[in-house]
Amino acid sequence: MRPHHTVALTVTAVALLALTACDPQTSDTGKPAAPEAPAARPAASASSAPAAKKTATLPDMVGKGLQTAQDEAQAAGFALLTSHDALGRDRLQALDRNWKVCSQTPPAGANVDTGATLDFGAVKLEETCPAADAPAPKPAGDTLPDFAGQGMKTVRGALPSNASISVKDALQSRMVLQESNWKVCSQDPKPGTALTGQPVSFKVVKTEESCP
């Protein structure tokens, strides 16, 4: 009697079909599947154009209190603000309400980039605005300039940082504590003397006083 192999052949065929179905590299026909095409990359986005600058018309601040001028400038869209002593004495505007505006840069009416810095020249409320901002003394070079009449604080800033400087009251024996409130009456060495590292001394009075 011949043995029957029908069941064994059937099981083998089923197993081969299962393996073929599970193999991702094999197509439904039993042949190797074609490789998948690479995924398409998203198109590069076009570079964004630079943002346009924002401009605004600068109001006229001259004659206003410094604090008011700053508030109005900020309301108009200007955030970068600074101020300086219009009398050239290099005083700090510690309390803006005690100062008034004499000049402004850029000038009023200009159509200005709101990112620009606005600079106000100011004096104290009881002072008179100068016709133009008083210039600070130029830095000393090889010779000693004539500093007569200049604010002592700005004079010190014009001399080399390593200079030996002494300051005395020309009228009394007062302490010269805040040099921005004093002006030079005389100096030693005299103007035009070569600066070779020697000490420099000044006699000063308060700004509103007359030199002896």
Side-chain angles (χ1 to χ4, degrees):
M1 183 175 182
R2 298 175 60 184
H4 296 279
H5 300 288
T6 305
V7 175
L9 290 175
T10 303
V11 172
T12 302
V14 171
L16 288 174
L17 288 174
L19 289 174
T20 302
C22 294
D23 187 357
Q25 302 298 323
T26 306
S27 66
D28 293 341
T29 61
K31 296 181 180 180
E36 294 183 1
R41 296 181 180 179
S45 59
S47 58
S48 57
K53 292 183 178 180
K54 186 177 180 181
T55 60
T57 301
L58 186 62
D60 187 359
M61 307 296 187
V62 174
K64 296 183 179 183
L66 180 57
Q67 183 64 65
T68 300
Q70 292 174 338
D71 292 344
E72 291 186 5
Q74 289 177 336
F78 299 94
L80 301 179
L81 309 175
T82 187
S83 60
H84 65 274
D85 184 353
L87 294 179
R89 291 161 55 187
D90 199 22
R91 295 171 294 179
L92 296 177
Q93 292 73 61
L95 188 59
D96 296 333
R97 289 179 177 83
N98 290 342
W99 295 74
K100 62 185 178 184
V101 176
C102 296
S103 64
Q104 62 185 69
T105 305
N111 195 35
V112 183
D113 178 2
T114 55
T117 298
L118 305 187
D119 184 19
F120 298 110
V123 297
K124 289 191 173 182
L125 296 179
E126 66 274 13
E127 297 172 339
T128 302
C129 286
D133 283 5
K138 295 181 179 180
D142 296 331
T143 59
L144 190 65
D146 185 359
F147 289 123
Q150 299 280 359
M152 186 60 223
K153 183 180 179 181
T154 60
V155 169
R156 183 180 291 275
L159 290 169
S161 59
N162 62 351
S164 298
I165 301 171
S166 60
V167 183
K168 292 183 178 180
D169 182 0
L171 293 178
Q172 305 173 33
S173 298
R174 297 169 293 184
M175 296 286 291
V176 182
L177 298 177
Q178 194 167 353
E179 291 182 344
S180 60
N181 290 334
W182 298 74
K183 65 183 179 183
V184 173
C185 290
S186 62
Q187 61 192 67
D188 184 31
K190 294 181 179 180
T193 303
L195 279 174
T196 57
Q198 70 272 44
V200 183
S201 62
F202 297 94
K203 289 186 177 181
V204 299
V205 295
K206 288 193 174 182
T207 303
E208 65 275 10
E209 297 173 340
S210 298
C211 289

